[in-house]
Amino acid sequence: MDKVMRLASEKGVVLFSKSSCCLCYAVKILFQELGVTPTIHEIDQDPEGREMERALMRLGCNAPVPAVFIGGELVGSTNEVMSLHLGGGLIPLLKPYQALC
Amino acid sequence: MNSPSTQFVPSRRMGIYEPIHQIGMWGENFKSNGNPSASVIFEVDNKLENESETASHEMLAPSNKHDQEATKPIDKIQRRLAQNREAARKSRLRKKAYVQQLENSRLKLIKLEQELEQTRQQGLYMGGGLEGGHLGFSEAVNPGIAAFEMEYGHWIEEQNRQICELRNALNAHISDIELRILVDGGMSHYFELFRMKSTAAKADVFYVMSGMWKTSAERFFSWIGGFRPSELLKVLVPQLDPLTDQQILEVCNLKQSCQQAEDALSQGMEKLQETVSATVAAGQLGEGSYIPQVATAMEKLEALVSFVNQADHLRQETLQQMSRILTTRQAARGLLALGEYFQRLRALSTLWATRPREPA
């Protein structure tokens, strides 16, 4: 879907979320802890939300949200983000986008 | 009201169940709490009045024969009233004794039910291999949970066997290749547990969250249906000396990222609690227990399954990272330490459950 791809390829950290999703909230908290402010798109508040949801599913995510893109590349859902972080691979990806203290 | 015999003989051997058939004696009024209404006292007294009147009349008839002609009406009435008062007084005392006995039996019953529940639950924790052990719960038997409990019992047995094997292998100084097989087996065993829990969570997420399938000491440390990954590292790391500088750095990073992920999930859980609470409390409280937003509340509870899965994923990831950082021998020592730690917690639970207690 064009909209999803367009939003996803924006620079920086992009998070597709739903305002009611508490797992998305957990991912937001994690980014906060790492000093990153992702661009958040709450698809449940978007008129094209349903389509966006379907598009995200088609990209291979287990659940449509949360879906994380870094620098235009799909990182994945909560599972992938957690695995990446524990493996030490998340912070290097986020380095360019971390808030300057 | 039933009309059974008024002969009430307090039995010394009166057990829990005897009072129940004697409840009929005092009628409906005593069923709930043994506090009879005033009307019952009146009824009972009336009944006794009538029956004692007959008895006393027969008893005293002979000695009063020669007086009967002269003072028959007044004496008779006064005597009857006095005897009635006496009978009523005795009846009240008997009733008081009976109610007291009912109360004691009730307390005894409550205590026994509690002990029974405790025993049932302990039976579930010890090995957890009880078939139909789940039947003890008031909820309907959940086959998914019953299956999980049985599988978990086997999982514990296999775990104990593996720990023994690891201990022997480390003492016997077997080759790294052979040790690797044991380590991989140990890791797979933990991953198997997470798979089992995932299936069980679909059957009953609250059951998995509650940790009821574990022993009490293990439950004490419960975090989203299992042990904290950061706790795991705290137990493991001191057992792994000596570590290389590179390893120390990697373990340090793992500790930090693990803690961050854990915190994020914890806050997500808090948010979930808040939203469920808000949904349940929505609308006017105090107008009945109907939930206006019940569909939303149910939807929110579904999210709990995701959280349990995420928490298990975090546990699995932590174990895998440790396995990557450590050498085979270190990993074997780590698995042994972890396994023994949980064994000790289970043993502690048993000791606690069977500790001598003061008689009630």
Side-chain angles (χ1 to χ4, degrees), chain B residues 33-44:
Chain B
N33 54 11
N35 288 335
S37 57
S39 61
V40 177
I41 297 171
F42 180 69
E43 271 187 281
V44 170

Side-chain angles (χ1 to χ4, degrees), chain A residues 19-23 25-27 29-30 32-34 78-80 82-88 91, chain B residues 254 256-258 260-261 263-265 267-268 271-272 275 300 306-307 310 313-314 317-318 321 324:
Chain A
S19 52
S20 58
C21 171
C22 292
L23 216 48
Y25 180 77
V27 172
I29 294 289
L30 182 62
Q32 220 174 69
E33 274 199 55
L34 302 178
T78 328
N79 263 11
E80 288 77 27
M82 296 290 182
S83 299
L84 198 59
H85 189 42
L86 259 63
I91 293 191
Chain B
L254 181 62
Q256 192 178 42
S257 51
C258 187
Q260 285 164 338
D263 287 344
L265 280 185
Q267 292 197 44
K271 188 79 169 29
L272 186 59
T275 54
K300 299 230 165 282
S306 312
F307 271 94
Q310 268 318 304
H313 175 74
L314 201 58
E317 210 46 54
T318 306
Q321 287 301 321
R324 182 186 61 81

Side-chain angles (χ1 to χ4, degrees), chain A residues 4-5 8 12-16 56 59 67-75:
Chain A
V4 166
M5 292 325 290
V13 184
V14 178
L15 169 68
F16 289 93
L56 286 166
L59 286 171
V68 174
F69 290 80
I70 302 180
E73 298 286 327
L74 172 65
V75 169

Side-chain angles (χ1 to χ4, degrees), chain A residues 38-55:
Chain A
T39 312
I40 302 172
H41 300 290
E42 308 278 7
I43 68 173
D44 59 334
Q45 290 167 355
D46 194 302
E48 296 177 86
R50 276 282 159 80
E51 253 205 86
M52 295 172 79
E53 197 170 320
R54 276 196 292 271

Side-chain angles (χ1 to χ4, degrees), chain B residues 119-329:
Chain B
T119 321
R120 273 201 196 112
Q121 291 187 355
Q122 281 167 21
L124 276 175
Y125 309 159
M126 308 307 177
L130 285 177
E131 268 184 66
H134 198 59
L135 283 169
F137 287 73
S138 52
E139 292 137 37
V141 177
N142 188 326
I145 297 304
F148 173 78
E149 280 178 359
M150 248 179 67
E151 278 172 18
Y152 183 68
H154 298 146
W155 189 90
I156 290 287
E157 281 166 18
E158 174 62 19
Q159 179 75 343
N160 292 335
R161 193 197 63 77
Q162 284 190 1
I163 290 169
C164 261
E165 203 174 26
L166 263 175
R167 203 182 292 121
N168 295 335
L170 282 167
N171 287 336
H173 305 290
I174 68 173
S175 73
D176 265 16
I177 298 171
E178 288 171 300
L179 209 51
R180 189 77 232 165
I181 296 171
L182 291 181
V183 167
D184 287 345
M187 297 289 282
S188 300
H189 198 55
Y190 278 112
F191 303 160
E192 179 60 32
L193 177 61
F194 300 140
R195 262 196 301 277
M196 282 162 53
K197 282 172 71 183
S198 177
T199 310
K202 291 199 196 90
D204 184 353
V205 68
F206 285 113
Y207 175 82
V208 176
M209 283 277 304
S210 74
M212 291 305 283
W213 42 283
K214 293 193 289 185
T215 63
S216 34
E218 286 173 297
R219 250 179 301 134
F220 177 55
F221 295 95
S222 202
W223 173 80
I224 315 187
F227 53 85
R228 275 181 189 276
S230 55
E231 189 66 35
L232 192 164
L233 292 174
K234 275 196 211 124
V235 168
L236 266 187
V237 174
Q239 308 291 330
L240 298 170
D241 286 337
L243 294 170
T244 66
D245 286 343
Q246 175 65 18
Q247 284 180 323
I248 291 172
L249 180 65
E250 290 190 65
V251 166
C252 211
N253 288 338
L254 181 62
K255 263 191 182 173
Q256 192 178 42
S257 51
C258 187
Q259 190 65 58
Q260 285 164 338
E262 216 175 280
D263 287 344
L265 280 185
S266 293
Q267 292 197 44
M269 275 292 280
E270 274 177 35
K271 188 79 169 29
L272 186 59
Q273 276 188 331
E274 281 171 26
T275 54
V276 171
S277 179
T279 311
V280 168
Q284 271 286 78
L285 287 170
E287 287 173 2
S289 52
Y290 163 73
I291 310 173
Q293 295 184 29
V294 64
T296 315
M298 298 284 272
E299 227 178 84
K300 299 230 165 282
L301 289 180
E302 290 287 342
L304 215 44
V305 180
S306 312
F307 271 94
V308 171
N309 288 338
Q310 268 318 304
D312 275 347
H313 175 74
L314 201 58
R315 291 172 189 118
Q316 177 156 332
E317 210 46 54
T318 306
L319 286 170
Q320 276 178 317
Q321 287 301 321
M322 279 306 281
S323 174
R324 182 186 61 81
I325 294 170
L326 301 173
T327 66
T328 304
R329 197 150 291 266

